[in-house]
Amino acid sequence: MREDLEELKQRISLLEYLQRRNWTARRVGSRQEFVGFCPLHAENRPSFYVNARKNLFYCHGCERGGDLIRFVELSEHLSFRESLAYLKQHMAAPAEPELLDQTAAFYQLQFHRYPEAIEYLQQRGLRDPVLIEELAVGYAPGGNLRRHLVDRGYSFDLLLRTGLINSQGRDAFCRRVIFPCRQQGRAVNLYGRSIGVAFPHRLLPRSKGDLFAWESVGAFPTVILVEGLFDLAVLWQAGFRNTTCAIGTHLTPAQLSQLGDQPGRRIYIAFDQDPNQAGQQASRLLAQRLESAGLKACIVALPPGHDPNSYFMAGATAADFLNCLQQAQSL
Ligand SMILES: [Zn+2]
């Protein structure tokens, strides 16, 4: 029981647990401390603090604090024992680290069997077979994941809870090109880009994890941040291996602190140039946050209507993009 408890606490970070429940926070003071609105009481000034390293929270408003289990007791109104069971059940996915790896590997095998997937990648300008292999790009033709995983001993229930299949047992990622999001070599989430009429973007209902490929990108003193994985893929293909991606314009507090893990780092924000200015606005907000965290942020202006992916598709070269980087403006 005691060992169980320690293992559970180590496996699930309080910060990640809160983020999965859409808690938004900003970093304060030291790198590991975050503050946001208290999920336990109504308030109009953020007074809920989380120390990510110690895995502890404290709210100055309702004066309650403790560890993850204490948080579940308070937020779900459960006893200690019930909270443990709750965490085990609801966070079952991390207990099955191989599940996402197996899914990613399965989809990667499918990829080569379905010409529509390969065609879609070519359409988006991703041609380098070595890079496609490195990114472990996969494809979900739909309808066959469940059988594959159930044969390997995973329960229908777990697959459903993880969000890999729907209640009819069909692949939730049906007709999507899949990019596994990996940390320390393990898949922590899957991103699926629809090649048909379905909503373009899909992630599993769990943390996005680290910035994409941060283990390699984090070593660079200069980093290019893009919105989408196809932006990242074409930039990597063009030689800009210092490109990372948060899948969208919103960075989690943990991802923000990754950008700040090297003092003086310069970050080029290359978001979409949207007609409604959404990408541009997100760039400015993010640049302000980064600057106030002591980083150097520059906003890369691409031709109107373009994102890095479409820019390359329209014929831009690595030299053209480099030119955009050189002309990038700080705030
Ligand atoms: Zn509170």
Side-chain angles (χ1 to χ4, degrees):
M1 173 83 182
R2 190 74 225 160
E3 272 166 32
D4 241 29
L5 188 63
E6 284 313 311
E7 198 209 321
L8 196 67
K9 280 196 207 170
Q10 275 174 17
R11 218 171 54 205
I12 310 171
S13 100
L14 173 61
L15 186 62
E16 192 174 324
Y17 178 87
L18 290 163
Q19 284 168 352
R20 283 190 199 194
R21 276 153 185 74
N22 298 316
W23 185 64
T24 50
R26 65 181 172 82
R27 197 151 56 94
V28 283
S30 80
R31 266 174 41 193
Q32 303 288 347
E33 210 172 6
F34 298 86
V35 63
F37 288 108
C38 178
L40 302 173
H41 86 280
E43 61 179 2
N44 43 30
R45 253 187 41 185
S47 45
F48 186 88
Y49 287 77
V50 171
N51 185 311
R53 190 174 54 79
K54 294 184 186 155
N55 239 352
L56 294 174
F57 72 94
Y58 185 76
C59 173
H60 292 279
C62 59
E63 300 185 336
R64 289 180 288 187
D67 61 10
L68 173 63
I69 293 162
R70 180 75 190 133
F71 182 80
V72 173
E73 286 181 279
L74 292 168
S75 59
E76 305 297 328
H77 308 285
L78 298 174
S79 72
F80 180 80
R81 269 179 180 281
E82 286 165 343
S83 298
L84 271 185
Y86 173 92
L87 277 173
K88 272 192 195 155
Q89 195 191 352
H90 286 256
M91 309 294 275
E96 306 275 358
E98 311 84 17
L99 173 58
L100 295 189
D101 286 332
Q102 295 228 11
T103 303
F106 177 70
Y107 283 151
Q108 200 181 357
L109 271 180
Q110 305 300 310
F111 176 78
H112 299 282
R113 297 183 186 154
Y114 290 84
E116 69 257 38
I118 301 164
E119 266 162 42
Y120 181 80
L121 240 58
Q122 286 183 346
Q123 248 179 56
R124 300 293 302 267
L126 187 48
R127 294 191 181 84
D128 179 359
V130 178
L131 180 59
I132 292 169
E133 187 71 27
E134 181 186 350
L135 292 170
V137 177
Y139 179 62
N144 54 4
L145 178 71
R146 175 191 174 184
R147 179 139 170 231
H148 175 79
L149 291 174
V150 168
D151 283 352
R152 272 152 193 77
Y154 295 101
S155 70
F156 180 83
D157 215 45
L158 176 66
L159 306 186
L160 193 63
R161 221 165 44 226
T162 315
L164 289 169
I165 60 169
N166 62 26
S167 51
Q168 284 87 48
R170 295 191 52 88
D171 300 35
F173 282 94
C174 179
R175 285 184 49 81
R176 283 171 191 276
V177 163
I178 311 291
F179 289 82
C181 310
R182 292 180 292 196
Q183 269 169 234
Q184 278 102 40
R186 306 225 75 138
V188 295
N189 205 326
L190 302 177
Y191 167 78
R193 177 62 169 86
S194 160
I195 70 166
V197 290
F199 183 76
H201 314 289
R202 183 174 200 120
L203 279 165
L204 291 173
R206 53 168 58 213
S207 162
K208 297 191 277 192
D210 288 352
L211 285 166
F212 194 85
W214 192 246
E215 282 153 38
S216 63
V217 176
F220 291 96
T222 296
V223 163
I224 302 166
L225 178 70
V226 295
E227 276 189 48
L229 286 172
F230 279 98
D231 300 322
L232 177 137
V234 292
L235 283 174
W236 278 26
Q237 195 173 249
F240 298 94
R241 295 293 299 227
N242 57 334
T243 305
T244 187
C245 169
I247 310 179
T249 57
H250 176 78
L251 274 69
T252 64
Q255 290 173 331
L256 275 171
S257 66
Q258 284 179 321
L259 285 179
D261 66 12
Q262 211 184 96
R265 178 181 277 134
R266 184 180 291 276
I267 295 136
Y268 290 96
I269 304 169
F271 286 172
D272 303 1
Q273 304 289 312
D274 298 314
N276 68 0
Q277 300 287 309
Q280 293 89 321
Q281 214 174 348
S283 307
R284 280 192 296 274
L285 281 175
L286 180 60
Q288 280 163 9
R289 289 181 79 171
L290 296 174
E291 292 273 340
S292 63
L295 297 156
K296 298 185 197 116
C298 297
I299 298 174
V300 180
L302 299 171
H306 275 298
D307 55 39
N309 182 256
S310 66
Y311 186 49
F312 277 89
M313 289 308 297
T317 62
D320 295 325
F321 189 77
L322 192 61
N323 199 29
C324 293
L325 290 183
Q326 281 158 354
Q327 285 174 20
Q329 306 270 331
S330 51
L331 281 180

